[in-house]
Amino acid sequence: MDIHTVYKYICRFCLTVQVIWGLDEVKILNPPEEALPDHLLEVLYSCDEPATVQLDCVVSFETGTISTLLLRRWACVPGDTKIRAVKLNLPDWLVYRADGIVPDSHWVLSCILRASVRHSGYGDTVRAQHVAALEPKPYLSRRVKQHQLCIAWGTQMLQLTKQFFQKQCALEQETVHLLSSIYASTGERFGITKTLDPHRSEVLEYSRIRAISFPWCTFSIWLYVTGYCQEALCGIFHHIDSQNNYVTPALLLTNSGHLHIQMNGESVESSAFLSAFKVPLNEWCNLIVMLQGRTVTVGMVCLDKDQRTVISSDYMFRFTIILDDTEGYFVIGGGKYIRGVEGYFGPVVYHRNRILPGIMSDFYVPDIIQNSNLAGWLQTCHEFHLEMNTKISGHSLKVKQRTESGTCSHAFHKWMVKQRLPSNRQCEPWEAAAPHRRHAAKLAQLLVLKHGGRPVSLHALGRALYSLSLHKLGKASSAEEVSRALSLLLQAGCLADTRALHMSSVLYSAGLGTQKKPIKAWLLGLLGAQRDDRLALLHLGHLHQQGLQGQPVDPDLAYAYYANIAHQTTLDRHNPSPQQTTVEPIFLNNDEMLNIQTNENHHIFQWLKHQARKGVTEAEQAIARMLFWGQQGVTPNIQEAVRHYERGAVQWEDPVSMYDYGIVLLQGHGVKKDVSKGITFLKKAMDKGHVPAMNALAWYYEQFEKDYKQAVQLWEQADLLMCPEAALNLGVIYSQGLYPGKAANQYMAYKYYLKSAERGNIRGGILIADIWTTGMPGFVNRHPSDAVLWVKWAAEHNGYLGSILRKALDAYLKNDMFMSLLYYLMAAESGYAAAQFNVAYLCEQNSGGFLDPVYASDCMWRYYNLTIQSQNPNTYAFIRMGDLFYERRGNRQKNLFSAVQMYTQAALRSNPQGWYNLGLLAEEGYKLPLSTLTALGLSELYLADKDLLLVALYKRCRDSEDTDSFFPCSLALFNVYVHQTQMHYKAAIKFCTAVAVVAAPTVLLIVLGTFRRRFLSLH
């Protein structure tokens, strides 16, 4: 080692010692909280030898890039500590709003001021530094810069040219697409709610206000009616004002098929007329309503195969029509006050300030209607119905003829049977069947024979086809065998079995055993939802909430579907049946939850029964709950559950069992209804301090005794004890004006509904969503996206969804991975997060290789990605998504930035694996972005030594609540400490060697001098 190298090491060591002992210092004394212009910044600094003080601004953007901007630089002279005031000149794009002169920028995530003392020897060495975080202001919250008045004209033009040509007018709602997809309407009180905002343009808004008393607009509504109204009127499109009155326009359908058109005038008078024509069944029709002052034009264009029918008529009102489209809300289909049309709604368009006189002549069918081929499917199904009815009638007639001939057989017939001569029977023409319909024809014959020649319904045939398809799927060992059962599922769906429609929709959507066909999957979902299938309603709500499979994001449309199944959920919970099971969010990677699953013959269930017989009330409650709701793998048995309720209430005098037994006696579930006996047990439970019993007794006083004072008193006591049902009931009392001595108060009702929903009451969540979807003028704003979340949450408690989840879990516990995947897919495509996770997990495990590796990989990507978008995602999904981004699979490239984002999300949710994986990436040399460290609360380590960052990451991994992570995280942390020790040991050896080399000549001279003096003294 030469002397120059030794000297360099000595210098570096000395610099390190200086940094450690703080010989150089710098500190920002008064950093601003946000990015401000011309802020006078004070910087304290000192140095032990000539250096430079540098002030930088480090900015990170949403694109992942980081920019370091040099703001100021000045010399540092050795001496005492000094304070320098400098004007903080931040770039205009960071401080001001872009205006053509001030340039625009990417979205800023973070901004850090950094002051440092630097020496120029052996590179630009940082001897000391200090950082301060500035809060970047959102673009629209920034101030507008006041430019100099005397800016050069040429410079201004050059700066404005590019932005000038890019400027656009604000998007206005002149042509409003109220519905851009197809909505399956069940004919109930559910529909799509829409509101409109005033124009932002003063000119357009002025024109709109003037047109309120002289409307000049066009409504275009596509409609496919499958059945006329069961009541006098049903809703197509109507407008409700803030006082809950019908206002212009109201387009309704009568039970005879005529249109009922109603308009509202200035003096709150209304008038209506009936159309001269009828809306035909099973045809797509475009209804057109044009308002021109007092004149209303109603037209209809219908499509029947290749034929087109055009009808139009005018009507003149005697009063001035009033239309304020920003008042209240519009409803497509059914609403609070009227049932909807039974059928399908296509695109609905509202031209706010235009009349389209040529709309019926320049007619075109929207792409969404053509691509769905809904009419074609229904027509094919109709033909299939006719064919199956013919076969059923024919087989029924043949069986009857055989029966009659058998009772009065003649001698020749007996001789034929005895001699067993061939009869040369010939098939009738109606017995012939296409190859893909032979199973359906054979089943029709078997069902007729089973019922002794009596005709069977098409729905029964559909159920039989569905059962046959499940039998074939149950024998499938791989996804390739699915296609054989798919045709049976489609035929069963065509015969009105909604379970088959949903299952076939799922297969096409997931591409399991067949080619992915999103449009056909959506069509099958529409058919199931229109027939009120719960899972199909969930599926379509999920599609339009997330904007999947090419469908537009439309929270109002999603709400219409979710509200339907949420309402059914409340009814289903009051009418339990063996077909329902409690929804349990069980994740397949959670061994603890899997181990407590049981059944009637399992040792856990038998042990609970033993404990219950000994008088352990908790075991009695658990047994009864499992049997009543079908929890933890136990088959629902309401009668047996009631016996356990009775024993807990009578024999053990348990207040919980008293309450449950009282409720089933009141409602007559699994036992004969006995109100007085039920009240007796509820009173006993309340006397023992059971809060739900207090709520139930209040309900009894309100419903049976009409004693509102006593009911309210009990509900208010229960509400103070955080009872969700009590808050709900108080809300209903306020809403209906039944609170003693108080008038109806909808806002007070809203507050109690919200309290009930936040405590977990399903009906409270539905009522809150109902208010948020329309708003409460003057009190509550409209929140359609939040309303969707509430009804989705309520809908996902449906017992029929729980039944599918239970079948999936039972199949998994029996190692039937294919059927488990199929059932979990049915729930996953309905948007249930736990099922989405389990589908991805099954694809990841791929036990026995039952899935094609390419399909399994795509399945993991899709369903783990869907899982992390849910409200409370499983953190393991973030870890696996991070791993997928880190690995290079198929055509997908390695994406470390996205992997870091996934691991960061897992770490922020207290998953130690996220911290550990971030540490591994840092060890591999990947520099974690400043935005990531800021989110983790480690922004101060962005410019620090890598070992310091690793120590921080692994410490957080080690100190997490997960005990399983302690050992691996501790080992990783120990490895970092060992590495630090090795580095310091090597540096110490090099330093000692350098000192020895430098000091050896001096020591030698001293020794030689000493010997020389001694030698001279001796002589």
Side-chain angles (χ1 to χ4, degrees):
M1 185 181 296
D2 61 352
I3 190 66
H4 180 74
T5 305
V6 173
Y7 180 76
K8 184 169 70 173
Y9 280 119
I10 294 172
C11 291
R12 288 186 177 179
F13 177 78
C14 294
L15 289 174
T16 305
V17 172
Q18 287 177 339
V19 170
I20 293 172
W21 291 100
L23 299 178
D24 295 295
E25 181 184 9
V26 65
K27 186 174 183 181
I28 301 172
L29 297 178
N30 61 335
E33 293 182 357
E34 59 188 35
L36 298 174
D38 301 329
H39 177 75
L40 196 62
L41 193 69
E42 293 182 353
V43 181
L44 180 146
Y45 64 98
S46 66
C47 52
D48 64 327
E49 60 183 76
T52 302
V53 181
Q54 183 170 312
L55 184 64
D56 299 315
C57 179
V58 182
V59 182
S60 66
F61 302 93
E62 65 173 354
T63 57
T65 59
I66 298 174
S67 179
T68 302
L69 309 171
L70 175 62
L71 301 181
R72 292 292 298 272
R73 180 184 289 169
W74 65 88
C76 177
V77 179
D80 296 332
T81 301
K82 304 176 184 65
I83 296 177
R84 183 180 181 116
V86 295
K87 185 181 287 186
L88 188 59
N89 291 322
L90 295 172
D92 285 350
W93 52 262
L94 185 60
V95 179
Y96 299 106
R97 192 184 304 182
D99 60 359
I101 298 175
V102 176
D104 202 352
S105 69
H106 294 294
W107 190 269
V108 177
L109 291 180
S110 64
C111 177
I112 292 178
L113 279 181
R114 178 180 64 188
S116 57
V117 176
R118 299 169 178 263
H119 287 263
S120 57
Y122 294 101
D124 196 8
T125 307
V126 176
R127 299 285 297 275
Q129 71 174 5
H130 183 243
V131 296
L134 306 184
E135 183 69 24
K137 300 196 74 171
Y139 169 73
L140 293 176
S141 299
R142 299 178 191 172
R143 61 188 70 196
V144 177
K145 185 173 184 179
Q146 302 297 321
H147 298 283
Q148 297 178 3
L149 295 178
C150 300
I151 187 171
W153 180 86
T155 303
Q156 187 177 6
M157 288 299 102
L158 288 174
Q159 291 176 327
L160 286 174
T161 299
K162 184 178 179 181
Q163 284 76 10
F164 177 79
F165 286 108
Q166 289 181 346
K167 283 194 177 296
Q168 296 180 354
C169 295
L171 183 65
E172 295 284 359
Q173 289 184 312
E174 294 182 89
T175 299
V176 186
H177 294 268
L178 298 173
L179 178 61
S180 301
S181 185
I182 296 178
Y183 169 54
S185 175
T186 59
E188 298 171 279
R189 297 181 187 274
F190 307 105
I192 305 167
T193 302
K194 293 287 184 179
T195 58
L196 298 181
D197 298 321
H199 291 295
R200 285 175 286 182
S201 167
E202 294 182 2
V203 176
L204 289 176
E205 181 60 12
Y206 175 73
S207 300
R208 188 195 69 80
I209 293 173
R210 287 188 60 188
I212 288 176
S213 57
F214 196 85
W216 194 266
C217 58
T218 304
F219 295 90
S220 171
I221 303 167
W222 280 90
L223 186 64
Y224 189 102
V225 181
T226 57
Y228 292 135
C229 309
Q230 298 178 4
E231 300 178 354
L233 294 170
C234 51
I236 297 176
F237 183 82
H238 58 277
H239 185 192
I240 303 293
D241 68 5
S242 57
Q243 305 301 317
N244 296 326
N245 298 316
Y246 285 100
V247 290
T248 305
L251 183 62
L252 311 176
L253 187 69
T254 68
N255 52 14
S256 62
H258 293 87
L259 292 176
H260 172 101
I261 300 98
Q262 180 174 315
M263 301 293 161
N264 195 60
E266 284 182 310
S267 56
V268 201
E269 60 179 326
S270 299
S271 183
F273 65 93
L274 289 176
S275 64
F277 53 85
K278 293 174 63 174
V279 178
L281 295 177
N282 303 316
E283 292 182 25
W284 274 115
C285 293
N286 185 18
L287 305 179
I288 298 139
V289 179
M290 290 185 285
L291 278 66
Q292 305 173 69
R294 295 186 179 186
T295 303
V296 176
T297 301
V298 179
M300 182 178 71
V301 182
C302 294
L303 299 174
D304 184 12
K305 297 181 180 178
D306 296 329
Q307 297 181 351
R308 180 189 303 177
T309 305
V310 181
I311 306 173
S312 177
S313 62
D314 295 337
Y315 187 87
M316 176 73 75
F317 283 86
R318 68 179 185 276
F319 54 79
T320 301
I321 297 175
I322 301 296
L323 171 58
D324 185 355
D325 56 16
T326 62
E327 161 74 1
Y329 56 91
F330 295 96
V331 179
I332 302 169
K336 296 178 183 179
Y337 312 110
I338 193 170
R339 287 178 170 270
V341 169
E342 189 176 333
Y344 302 88
F345 286 86
V348 178
V349 183
Y350 169 36
H351 303 272
R352 297 178 80 174
N353 53 10
R354 280 199 301 164
I355 291 295
L356 304 176
I359 188 171
M360 286 183 284
S361 57
D362 301 334
F363 176 79
Y364 77 98
V365 180
D367 293 339
I368 193 75
I369 291 178
Q370 294 188 49
N371 295 336
S372 68
N373 193 30
L374 174 67
W377 167 275
L378 293 175
Q379 178 61 32
T380 303
C381 277
H382 178 66
E383 295 169 359
F384 184 53
H385 289 180
L386 294 177
E387 179 183 349
M388 290 299 106
N389 273 327
T390 301
K391 294 184 185 306
I392 290 171
S393 301
H395 288 304
S396 178
L397 182 61
K398 276 198 167 188
V399 171
K400 288 180 180 179
Q401 290 174 348
R402 286 180 198 165
T403 304
E404 292 172 0
S405 62
T407 55
C408 304
S409 57
H410 48 78
F412 178 73
H413 175 73
K414 291 180 179 179
W415 179 79
M416 288 273 294
V417 173
K418 183 177 180 181
Q419 298 298 324
R420 299 185 182 275
L421 296 177
S423 61
N424 294 324
R425 176 181 175 274
Q426 293 182 352
C427 291
E428 299 288 343
W430 55 265
E431 293 184 89
H436 65 283
R437 292 180 177 177
R438 284 176 183 168
H439 283 295
K442 187 65 175 177
L443 276 176
Q445 182 181 7
L446 292 174
L447 286 173
V448 170
L449 291 173
K450 180 181 177 181
H451 289 82
R454 294 191 303 274
V456 295
S457 67
L458 292 178
H459 188 54
L461 178 57
R463 289 196 303 270
L465 280 169
Y466 178 68
S467 299
L468 178 61
S469 61
L470 282 185
H471 178 71
K472 289 183 175 294
L473 288 171
K475 291 184 176 181
S477 58
S478 64
E480 287 73 17
E481 300 177 34
V482 172
S483 57
R484 302 174 188 173
L486 189 54
S487 62
L488 296 177
L489 284 172
L490 293 174
Q491 291 170 22
C494 198
L495 297 175
D497 193 294
T498 56
R499 299 167 300 172
L501 285 173
H502 180 64
M503 183 175 284
S504 53
S505 171
V506 166
L507 294 174
Y508 279 120
S509 177
L512 181 63
T514 185
Q515 184 181 359
K516 276 190 179 182
K517 295 181 180 179
I519 296 296
K520 190 161 187 177
W522 173 59
L523 167 64
L524 295 168
L526 285 171
L527 294 166
Q530 201 278 325
R531 292 169 184 166
D532 224 12
D533 181 76
R534 293 163 177 82
L535 293 181
L537 291 166
L538 266 177
H539 173 57
L540 291 181
H542 174 59
L543 288 187
H544 290 287
Q545 185 201 13
Q546 300 287 339
L548 302 175
Q549 297 184 6
Q551 296 303 312
V553 175
D554 190 340
D556 297 313
L557 178 52
Y559 177 87
Y561 289 122
Y562 279 135
N564 189 333
I565 185 174
H567 176 71
Q568 292 189 64
T569 299
T570 60
L571 299 178
D572 292 339
R573 290 173 70 86
H574 284 93
N575 298 282
S577 66
Q579 289 74 36
Q580 298 183 62
T581 305
T582 300
V583 176
E584 298 174 283
I586 299 172
F587 296 90
L588 295 183
N589 69 331
N590 189 335
D591 293 334
E592 183 179 350
M593 287 297 298
L594 293 178
N595 290 334
I596 65 171
Q597 300 306 304
T598 182
N599 56 54
E600 292 81 351
N601 300 316
H602 195 269
H603 67 275
I604 294 179
F605 189 81
Q606 295 300 323
W607 180 80
L608 286 172
K609 288 182 70 174
H610 174 68
Q611 293 294 104
R613 283 192 295 268
K614 291 171 62 178
V616 179
T617 56
E618 291 82 1
E620 194 79 82
Q621 295 168 17
I623 288 285
R625 185 177 63 250
M626 289 179 189
L627 289 168
F628 194 87
W629 297 107
Q631 294 179 348
Q632 293 181 228
V634 176
T635 303
N637 188 334
I638 296 176
Q639 287 77 17
E640 183 67 21
V642 169
R643 284 193 284 272
H644 284 278
Y645 286 147
E646 183 180 13
R647 184 168 67 180
V650 176
Q651 190 169 342
W652 313 127
E653 296 185 352
D654 172 40
V656 176
S657 297
M658 287 178 177
Y659 165 75
D660 290 328
Y661 188 49
I663 292 297
V664 296
L665 286 170
L666 280 177
Q667 298 180 342
H669 289 157
V671 67
K672 185 178 180 181
K673 190 173 182 179
D674 191 334
V675 175
S676 61
K677 188 176 179 181
I679 293 302
T680 301
F681 279 101
L682 288 176
K683 287 181 178 179
K684 289 181 179 180
M686 187 183 73
D687 292 340
K688 288 179 174 287
H690 194 59
V691 177
M694 188 183 300
N695 169 75
L697 276 173
W699 175 82
Y700 167 77
Y701 285 122
E702 186 247 344
Q703 291 288 322
F704 291 88
E705 303 291 338
K706 303 301 178 183
D707 187 348
Y708 299 111
K709 184 177 180 180
Q710 179 68 16
V712 167
Q713 182 180 352
L714 288 173
W715 275 328
E716 288 182 337
Q717 292 178 22
D719 178 50
L720 292 174
L721 297 171
M722 307 301 290
C723 177
E725 290 77 17
L728 170 71
N729 290 323
L730 286 172
V732 173
I733 288 290
Y734 272 107
S735 175
Q736 296 178 355
L738 298 176
Y739 196 105
K742 295 183 180 181
N745 189 328
Q746 300 303 323
Y747 184 62
M748 282 297 294
Y750 162 77
K751 292 199 291 186
Y752 275 108
Y753 293 154
L754 183 59
K755 189 188 298 185
S756 172
E758 290 173 342
R759 292 175 184 172
N761 184 273
I762 292 176
R763 191 175 167 215
I766 295 171
L767 292 171
I768 278 296
D770 185 52
I771 294 173
W772 279 358
T773 195
T774 59
M776 188 180 292
F779 296 96
V780 182
N781 292 328
R782 189 169 183 260
H783 302 286
S785 298
D786 294 331
V788 169
L789 296 178
W790 275 116
V791 286
K792 181 178 187 291
W793 168 78
E796 288 181 346
H797 284 80
N798 190 273
Y800 290 89
L801 172 63
S803 178
I804 292 294
L805 293 171
R806 173 48 54 185
K807 290 177 182 178
L809 184 59
D810 288 344
Y812 177 79
L813 295 175
K814 294 175 184 176
N815 290 319
D816 188 351
M817 298 304 168
F818 180 77
M819 289 305 293
S820 177
L821 177 65
L822 180 59
Y823 282 122
Y824 272 130
L825 274 172
M826 293 178 70
E829 289 297 316
S830 300
Y832 190 64
Q836 292 170 343
F837 176 89
N838 290 340
V839 167
Y841 186 80
L842 286 170
C843 292
E844 178 187 351
Q845 301 298 313
N846 197 13
S847 302
F850 73 99
L851 292 175
D852 177 73
V854 175
Y855 179 87
S857 178
D858 291 341
C859 168
M860 290 167 58
W861 273 97
R862 179 181 179 185
Y863 289 100
Y864 275 138
N865 191 26
L866 287 171
T867 302
I868 64 175
Q869 296 176 49
S870 61
Q871 282 186 282
N872 297 302
N874 187 302
T875 55
Y876 180 80
F878 285 111
I879 298 297
R880 292 303 296 130
M881 281 301 297
D883 295 343
L884 291 172
F885 280 120
Y886 178 80
E887 300 165 0
R888 183 176 296 171
R889 293 199 177 202
N891 298 325
R892 295 183 174 90
Q893 298 297 317
K894 198 170 187 177
N895 188 337
L896 292 180
F897 180 74
S898 297
V900 167
Q901 287 182 313
M902 295 296 105
Y903 295 145
T904 301
Q905 290 300 317
L908 291 174
R909 288 167 171 80
S910 302
N911 188 318
Q913 187 71 48
W915 295 104
Y916 188 84
N917 289 1
L918 288 172
L920 291 179
L921 285 175
E923 282 196 72
E924 291 178 4
Y926 180 76
K927 189 169 182 63
L928 298 183
L930 180 59
S931 57
T932 297
L933 295 178
T934 302
L936 296 172
L938 301 173
S939 58
E940 69 277 3
L941 297 177
Y942 176 68
L943 300 172
D945 183 69
K946 183 176 77 174
D947 286 345
L948 293 177
L949 176 61
L950 290 174
V951 168
L953 292 173
Y954 288 138
K955 274 187 176 180
R956 295 200 182 186
C957 174
R958 180 197 63 187
D959 297 338
S960 66
E961 296 179 359
D962 187 355
T963 55
D964 293 337
S965 66
F966 180 82
F967 185 69
C969 296
S970 298
L971 282 179
L973 185 61
F974 177 73
N975 183 55
V976 175
Y977 284 142
V978 170
H979 180 262
Q980 285 181 328
T981 304
Q982 290 176 343
M983 294 298 294
H984 293 160
Y985 176 74
K986 291 179 181 178
I989 293 296
K990 291 179 180 179
F991 174 72
C992 294
T993 303
V995 170
V997 171
V998 172
T1002 306
V1003 173
L1004 181 61
L1005 290 174
I1006 292 171
V1007 172
L1008 289 174
T1010 303
F1011 278 111
R1012 182 180 178 187
R1013 284 194 297 272
R1014 289 185 180 181
F1015 178 78
L1016 292 174
S1017 64
L1018 289 174
H1019 295 278

